[in-house]
Amino acid sequence: MNGFLLHLITLISFFCGAVNSIYSDDYCSWQASGLPADRHPGIVRQVYLSRCQSGQVQYDYPHNGVRFVVSSPDPEITQFTLCIQPAIGYHGARIYRHYGNDIEMIVEDGDDEQKPRCFPSNNGRAFLYIESSLNDKAQRKSILFTYEIGGSLINEPVEDDIAEIVEGDLEECKPCTETEILKHFCTADYVVRGRLVNVETDSTNPKMANIHVNVAQSYKQKHDLPLGRSAQGKITTVVQLPAHCRPRAGVGQFLIMGTVLPDGTARQACAPRYSDFRRLATQAVQQGRAFCNMGRETYL
């Protein structure tokens, strides 16, 4: 996509604004239809997803284009990492990201690989552009993807840091695939549900980050986690990730699983959002893809 088209997208978006946008109650998810296709020819819709940690975008009968402006839920955070993941069976549009005066395609039409695509924000905002790839505007297609801000689910180094990290270290920062999440649930030393409330550099090992967790429920502990209590009386624990993975606290509950080292230190392997895990576990059990007895109380 050339610079002229990028300039045209920006101008049309500015003058046209949002058209027939349907938001969720919390304004973090958006759904719309491209039909009738001839009602607003050439218009690029402008959608603001502000102050949201995560959400979902669904565009039925995609037509023309949609430009998304995403900002952090914390106004004090001026830089963040935005990650998007297309749904299984994604087809009907390409997704680009804007940065500066450039534009880069991050999801091709038909690319439904189940891994997040992550990139840093620009001056406190991240910009996405969806471009329909359907020739038949009445073709029954619905594109769907989820997005998330921060590193609670996605332990991904931002681009500026990648050159400073040796290639082998990137493996431990990659987000877990759905298959890996299911396997870790069965083989991990611990599986707990809770909120990631704070992240700080480990005082004895600056290469590691300590993630403080308010534990809501423990599903498995082959080896005891280091547990404590907060000033509010909540059960807490601490798990670790390499600091260069840039883990961050997040809004909502997560299913945290990993290994316990001989010295009692807990290392995090995967931490999907609990709502995402419930969906994944339900599908795995129904389709016979579970690697162990997952226990209905875990995901229902």
Side-chain angles (χ1 to χ4, degrees):
M1 185 176 290
N2 57 37
F4 171 77
L5 182 54
L6 173 60
H7 182 64
L8 182 61
I9 290 170
T10 304
L11 284 177
I12 294 175
S13 298
F14 176 79
F15 286 110
C16 294
V19 180
N20 297 322
S21 297
I22 303 173
Y23 291 90
S24 61
D25 291 341
D26 58 4
Y27 286 87
C28 291
S29 295
W30 179 86
Q31 180 180 358
S33 171
L35 292 180
D38 57 351
R39 182 173 54 192
H40 302 293
I43 283 183
V44 175
R45 304 181 181 196
Q46 179 98 329
V47 177
Y48 291 90
L49 299 171
S50 303
R51 308 290 181 252
C52 295
Q53 186 74 26
S54 63
Q56 177 176 284
V57 169
Q58 180 175 333
Y59 191 19
D60 303 321
Y61 307 100
H63 175 58
N64 291 333
V66 183
R67 185 172 186 262
F68 294 88
V69 182
V70 185
S71 58
S72 169
D74 186 346
E76 296 183 0
I77 296 178
T78 57
Q79 289 298 113
F80 58 86
T81 300
L82 176 67
C83 297
I84 68 169
Q85 180 166 304
I88 295 176
Y90 179 91
H91 175 61
R94 294 173 286 269
I95 302 178
Y96 301 82
R97 65 123 167 177
H98 295 179
Y99 56 106
N101 294 321
D102 296 317
I103 189 166
E104 176 190 7
M105 184 166 61
I106 56 175
V107 179
E108 298 182 10
D109 182 13
D111 180 5
D112 64 350
E113 184 178 359
Q114 293 302 287
K115 70 173 186 179
R117 285 72 162 170
C118 303
F119 58 92
S121 63
N122 184 15
N123 294 323
R125 296 192 297 178
F127 303 89
L128 292 171
Y129 174 66
I130 297 180
E131 179 187 52
S132 172
S133 57
L134 299 179
N135 295 321
D136 180 2
K137 298 179 179 60
Q139 194 171 354
R140 290 184 175 274
K141 290 293 180 184
S142 176
I143 65 170
L144 178 69
F145 68 87
T146 56
Y147 72 90
E148 180 177 358
I149 287 176
S152 301
L153 170 63
I154 314 302
N155 303 312
E156 183 98 4
V158 297
E159 289 182 349
D160 292 343
D161 296 329
I162 289 180
E164 302 175 8
I165 304 171
V166 296
E167 184 175 352
D169 289 341
L170 290 176
E171 284 297 322
E172 58 194 348
C173 296
K174 288 183 178 180
C176 292
T177 64
E178 291 190 347
T179 299
E180 288 171 337
I181 290 172
L182 293 174
K183 286 183 177 179
H184 276 297
F185 177 85
C186 298
T187 61
D189 289 341
Y190 67 89
V191 179
V192 298
R193 174 168 55 87
R195 299 181 183 275
L196 312 182
V197 295
N198 186 38
V199 179
E200 61 185 8
T201 302
D202 186 79
S203 58
T204 59
N205 184 359
K207 292 185 177 181
M208 301 302 296
N210 292 332
I211 305 170
H212 294 261
V213 182
N214 282 350
V215 178
Q217 187 168 357
S218 174
Y219 296 106
K220 181 202 301 185
Q221 287 193 46
K222 291 182 182 178
H223 303 283
D224 290 339
L225 282 173
L227 298 178
R229 284 194 179 272
S230 67
Q232 295 76 28
K234 297 181 181 295
I235 299 176
T236 62
T237 192
V238 176
V239 299
Q240 285 192 339
L241 269 178
H244 67 249
C245 294
R246 289 180 175 250
R248 293 175 175 84
V251 178
Q253 293 198 341
F254 296 82
L255 195 73
I256 306 147
M257 38 197 163
T259 59
V260 178
L261 303 182
D263 64 359
T265 302
R267 291 285 175 84
Q268 176 183 303
C270 297
R273 284 191 175 277
Y274 182 58
S275 57
D276 293 336
F277 174 79
R278 290 179 62 188
R279 171 190 56 79
L280 175 61
T282 300
Q283 292 175 350
V285 171
Q286 292 175 346
Q287 298 169 8
R289 295 188 292 111
F291 293 94
C292 63
N293 182 1
M294 305 197 73
R296 292 172 58 87
E297 71 280 358
T298 307
Y299 59 91
L300 293 180

